[in-house]
CSV table of all heavy atoms in Angstrom, one decimal:
chain,number,residue,atom,x,y,z
A,184,SER,N,0.9,-11.1,-10.7
A,184,SER,CA,2.1,-11.0,-9.8
A,184,SER,C,1.8,-11.8,-8.5
A,184,SER,O,2.8,-12.3,-7.9
A,184,SER,CB,2.6,-9.6,-9.7
A,184,SER,OG,1.8,-9.0,-8.7
A,185,THR,N,0.6,-11.6,-8.0
A,185,THR,CA,0.3,-12.4,-6.8
A,185,THR,C,0.5,-14.0,-6.9
A,185,THR,O,1.0,-14.6,-6.1
A,185,THR,CB,-1.1,-12.1,-6.4
A,185,THR,OG1,-1.2,-10.7,-6.1
A,185,THR,CG2,-1.6,-12.8,-5.1
A,186,ASP,N,0.0,-14.4,-8.1
A,186,ASP,CA,0.1,-15.8,-8.3
A,186,ASP,C,1.5,-16.3,-8.5
A,186,ASP,O,2.0,-17.3,-8.1
A,186,ASP,CB,-0.7,-16.3,-9.6
A,186,ASP,CG,-2.2,-16.1,-9.4
A,186,ASP,OD1,-2.7,-16.2,-8.2
A,186,ASP,OD2,-3.0,-16.1,-10.4
A,187,ALA,N,2.3,-15.3,-9.1
A,187,ALA,CA,3.8,-15.6,-9.2
A,187,ALA,C,4.4,-15.7,-7.9
A,187,ALA,O,5.4,-16.6,-7.6
A,187,ALA,CB,4.5,-14.5,-10.0
A,188,ALA,N,4.0,-14.9,-6.9
A,188,ALA,CA,4.6,-14.9,-5.6
A,188,ALA,C,4.2,-16.2,-4.9
A,188,ALA,O,5.0,-16.8,-4.1
A,188,ALA,CB,4.0,-13.7,-4.8
A,189,ILE,N,2.9,-16.6,-5.1
A,189,ILE,CA,2.5,-17.9,-4.5
A,189,ILE,C,3.3,-19.1,-5.0
A,189,ILE,O,3.7,-20.0,-4.4
A,189,ILE,CB,1.0,-18.2,-4.7
A,189,ILE,CG1,0.2,-17.1,-3.8
A,189,ILE,CG2,0.6,-19.5,-4.4
A,189,ILE,CD1,-1.3,-17.1,-4.1
A,190,SER,N,3.7,-18.9,-6.3
A,190,SER,CA,4.5,-20.0,-7.0
A,190,SER,C,5.9,-20.0,-6.4
A,190,SER,O,6.5,-21.1,-6.3
A,190,SER,CB,4.5,-19.8,-8.6
A,190,SER,OG,3.2,-20.0,-9.0
A,191,ALA,N,6.5,-18.8,-6.1
A,191,ALA,CA,7.8,-18.7,-5.7
A,191,ALA,C,7.9,-19.0,-4.1
A,191,ALA,O,9.0,-19.3,-3.6
A,191,ALA,CB,8.4,-17.4,-5.9
A,192,LEU,N,6.8,-18.9,-3.4
A,192,LEU,CA,6.8,-19.0,-2.0
A,192,LEU,C,7.4,-20.3,-1.5
A,192,LEU,O,8.1,-20.3,-0.5
A,192,LEU,CB,5.4,-18.8,-1.4
A,192,LEU,CG,5.2,-18.9,0.0
A,192,LEU,CD1,6.0,-17.9,0.8
A,192,LEU,CD2,3.6,-18.9,0.5
A,193,PRO,N,7.1,-21.4,-2.1
A,193,PRO,CA,7.7,-22.8,-1.5
A,193,PRO,C,9.3,-22.6,-1.4
A,193,PRO,O,9.8,-23.2,-0.5
A,193,PRO,CB,7.3,-23.8,-2.5
A,193,PRO,CG,6.0,-23.2,-3.1
A,193,PRO,CD,6.2,-21.8,-3.1
A,194,LEU,N,9.9,-22.0,-2.4
A,194,LEU,CA,11.4,-21.8,-2.2
A,194,LEU,C,11.7,-21.1,-1.0
A,194,LEU,O,12.7,-21.4,-0.3
A,194,LEU,CB,11.9,-21.1,-3.5
A,194,LEU,CG,11.9,-22.0,-4.8
A,194,LEU,CD1,12.2,-21.1,-6.0
A,194,LEU,CD2,12.9,-23.1,-4.8
A,195,LEU,N,11.0,-20.0,-0.7
A,195,LEU,CA,11.3,-19.2,0.5
A,195,LEU,C,11.1,-20.0,1.7
A,195,LEU,O,11.8,-19.9,2.6
A,195,LEU,CB,10.4,-17.9,0.4
A,195,LEU,CG,10.8,-16.9,1.5
A,195,LEU,CD1,12.1,-16.2,1.2
A,195,LEU,CD2,9.7,-15.8,1.4
A,196,LEU,N,10.0,-20.7,1.7
A,196,LEU,CA,9.7,-21.6,3.0
A,196,LEU,C,10.7,-22.7,3.1
A,196,LEU,O,11.0,-23.0,4.3
A,196,LEU,CB,8.3,-22.2,2.7
A,196,LEU,CG,7.0,-21.3,2.7
A,196,LEU,CD1,5.8,-22.0,2.4
A,196,LEU,CD2,7.1,-20.4,3.9
A,197,ASP,N,11.3,-23.1,2.0
A,197,ASP,CA,12.3,-24.2,2.1
A,197,ASP,C,13.7,-23.6,2.5
A,197,ASP,O,14.7,-24.3,2.7
A,197,ASP,CB,12.6,-24.9,0.8
A,197,ASP,CG,11.4,-25.8,0.5
A,197,ASP,OD1,10.6,-26.2,1.4
A,197,ASP,OD2,11.3,-26.2,-0.7
A,198,GLY,N,13.8,-22.2,2.7
A,198,GLY,CA,15.0,-21.6,3.1
A,198,GLY,C,15.9,-21.2,1.9
A,198,GLY,O,17.1,-20.8,2.1
A,199,LYS,N,15.4,-21.3,0.8
A,199,LYS,CA,16.1,-21.0,-0.4
A,199,LYS,C,15.8,-19.6,-0.9
A,199,LYS,O,15.2,-19.4,-1.9
A,199,LYS,CB,15.8,-22.0,-1.6
A,199,LYS,CG,16.2,-23.4,-1.2
A,199,LYS,CD,15.6,-24.5,-2.2
A,199,LYS,CE,15.9,-25.9,-1.7
A,199,LYS,NZ,15.3,-26.9,-2.7
A,200,ASP,N,16.1,-18.7,-0.1
A,200,ASP,CA,15.7,-17.3,-0.2
A,200,ASP,C,16.2,-16.6,-1.5
A,200,ASP,O,15.5,-15.9,-2.2
A,200,ASP,CB,15.9,-16.4,1.0
A,200,ASP,CG,17.4,-16.6,1.4
A,200,ASP,OD1,17.8,-17.7,1.9
A,200,ASP,OD2,18.2,-15.6,1.5
A,201,ILE,N,17.4,-16.8,-1.8
A,201,ILE,CA,18.0,-16.3,-3.0
A,201,ILE,C,17.3,-16.8,-4.3
A,201,ILE,O,16.9,-16.0,-5.1
A,201,ILE,CB,19.5,-16.5,-3.2
A,201,ILE,CG1,20.3,-16.0,-1.9
A,201,ILE,CG2,20.1,-15.9,-4.4
A,201,ILE,CD1,20.1,-14.4,-1.8
A,202,ARG,N,17.1,-18.0,-4.3
A,202,ARG,CA,16.4,-18.7,-5.5
A,202,ARG,C,14.9,-18.1,-5.5
A,202,ARG,O,14.5,-17.9,-6.6
A,202,ARG,CB,16.3,-20.2,-5.4
A,202,ARG,CG,17.7,-20.8,-5.7
A,202,ARG,CD,17.7,-22.3,-5.5
A,202,ARG,NE,16.7,-22.9,-6.5
A,202,ARG,CZ,16.3,-24.2,-6.5
A,202,ARG,NH1,16.8,-25.1,-5.6
A,202,ARG,NH2,15.5,-24.6,-7.3
A,203,ALA,N,14.3,-18.0,-4.3
A,203,ALA,CA,12.9,-17.5,-4.3
A,203,ALA,C,12.9,-16.1,-4.8
A,203,ALA,O,12.0,-15.7,-5.7
A,203,ALA,CB,12.4,-17.5,-2.9
A,204,MET,N,13.7,-15.3,-4.4
A,204,MET,CA,13.8,-13.9,-4.9
A,204,MET,C,14.0,-13.8,-6.4
A,204,MET,O,13.5,-13.0,-7.1
A,204,MET,CB,14.8,-13.0,-4.1
A,204,MET,CG,14.3,-12.8,-2.6
A,204,MET,SD,15.4,-11.6,-1.7
A,204,MET,CE,16.8,-12.7,-1.2
A,205,THR,N,15.1,-14.6,-6.8
A,205,THR,CA,15.4,-14.6,-8.2
A,205,THR,C,14.3,-15.1,-9.1
A,205,THR,O,13.9,-14.4,-10.2
A,205,THR,CB,16.6,-15.5,-8.4
A,205,THR,OG1,17.7,-15.0,-7.7
A,205,THR,CG2,17.0,-15.5,-9.9
A,206,ALA,N,13.5,-16.0,-8.7
A,206,ALA,CA,12.4,-16.6,-9.4
A,206,ALA,C,11.3,-15.6,-9.5
A,206,ALA,O,10.7,-15.3,-10.6
A,206,ALA,CB,11.9,-17.9,-8.8
A,207,LEU,N,11.0,-14.9,-8.3
A,207,LEU,CA,9.9,-13.9,-8.3
A,207,LEU,C,10.2,-12.7,-9.0
A,207,LEU,O,9.5,-12.0,-9.9
A,207,LEU,CB,9.4,-13.6,-6.9
A,207,LEU,CG,8.3,-12.6,-6.8
A,207,LEU,CD1,7.1,-13.1,-7.6
A,207,LEU,CD2,8.0,-12.4,-5.4
A,208,HIS,N,11.5,-12.2,-8.8
A,208,HIS,CA,12.0,-10.9,-9.4
A,208,HIS,C,12.1,-10.9,-10.9
A,208,HIS,O,12.2,-9.9,-11.6
A,208,HIS,CB,13.1,-10.4,-8.7
A,208,HIS,CG,13.0,-10.2,-7.2
A,208,HIS,ND1,14.0,-9.7,-6.4
A,208,HIS,CD2,11.9,-10.5,-6.4
A,208,HIS,CE1,13.5,-9.7,-5.2
A,208,HIS,NE2,12.3,-10.1,-5.1
A,209,SER,N,12.2,-12.1,-11.4
A,209,SER,CA,12.4,-12.2,-12.9
A,209,SER,C,11.1,-12.1,-13.6
A,209,SER,O,11.0,-12.1,-14.9
A,209,SER,CB,13.1,-13.5,-13.2
A,209,SER,OG,12.4,-14.6,-12.9
A,210,GLU,N,10.0,-12.3,-12.9
A,210,GLU,CA,8.7,-12.3,-13.5
A,210,GLU,C,8.1,-10.8,-13.4
A,210,GLU,O,8.2,-10.0,-12.6
A,210,GLU,CB,7.6,-13.1,-12.7
A,210,GLU,CG,8.1,-14.6,-12.5
A,210,GLU,CD,8.0,-15.4,-13.8
A,210,GLU,OE1,7.3,-14.8,-14.8
A,210,GLU,OE2,8.5,-16.4,-14.0
A,211,SER,N,7.5,-10.5,-14.6
A,211,SER,CA,6.9,-9.2,-14.7
A,211,SER,C,5.6,-9.4,-15.6
A,211,SER,O,5.7,-9.9,-16.6
A,211,SER,CB,7.8,-8.1,-15.4
A,211,SER,OG,7.2,-6.9,-15.5
A,212,TYR,N,4.6,-8.8,-15.2
A,212,TYR,CA,3.3,-8.9,-15.9
A,212,TYR,C,2.7,-7.5,-16.1
A,212,TYR,O,1.9,-7.0,-15.3
A,212,TYR,CB,2.3,-9.8,-15.1
A,212,TYR,CG,2.7,-11.2,-14.8
A,212,TYR,CD1,3.5,-11.4,-13.7
A,212,TYR,CD2,2.5,-12.2,-15.7
A,212,TYR,CE1,4.0,-12.7,-13.4
A,212,TYR,CE2,3.0,-13.4,-15.5
A,212,TYR,CZ,3.7,-13.7,-14.3
A,212,TYR,OH,4.3,-15.0,-14.0
Side-chain angles (χ1 to χ4, degrees):
S184 75
T185 296
D186 289 341
I189 291 173
S190 295
L192 181 63
L194 289 170
L195 190 65
L196 297 177
D197 287 342
K199 301 172 183 176
D200 48 294
I201 301 299
R202 287 181 59 188
M204 289 188 281
T205 300
L207 180 57
H208 301 184
S209 65
E210 300 289 348
S211 179
Y212 302 88

